[in-house]
C-alpha cells in the first residue's frame, strides 16, 4: 500500500483501521450478495 502514509499518527492510524474494516465488511457483503443472487 504505497498510497498510505507509512508512519501515520495515532488518530490517523485508528481512522485507517476503521475505514479499512468498513471497506472490508462492504466487500464481504457484496460478495455474499452476488453469490446469493439467482
Amino acid at each position: 500500500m504505497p498510497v498510505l502514509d507509512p508512519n501515520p499518527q495515532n488518530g490517523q492510524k485508528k481512522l485507517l483501521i476503521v475505514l479499512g474494516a468498513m471497506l472490508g465488511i462492504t466487500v464481504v457483503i457484496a460478495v455474499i450478495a452476488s453469490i446469493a443472487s439467482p
Side-chain angles (χ1 to χ4, degrees):
M1 290 284 184
V3 176
L4 299 178
D5 187 358
N7 294 317
Q9 296 173 359
N10 291 335
Q12 198 175 5
K13 184 180 291 184
K14 186 179 292 184
L15 184 64
L16 286 174
I17 292 172
V18 172
L19 289 175
M22 289 172 58
L23 184 63
I25 292 169
T26 303
V27 169
V28 170
I29 291 173
V31 170
I32 293 173
S34 64
I35 292 173
S37 63

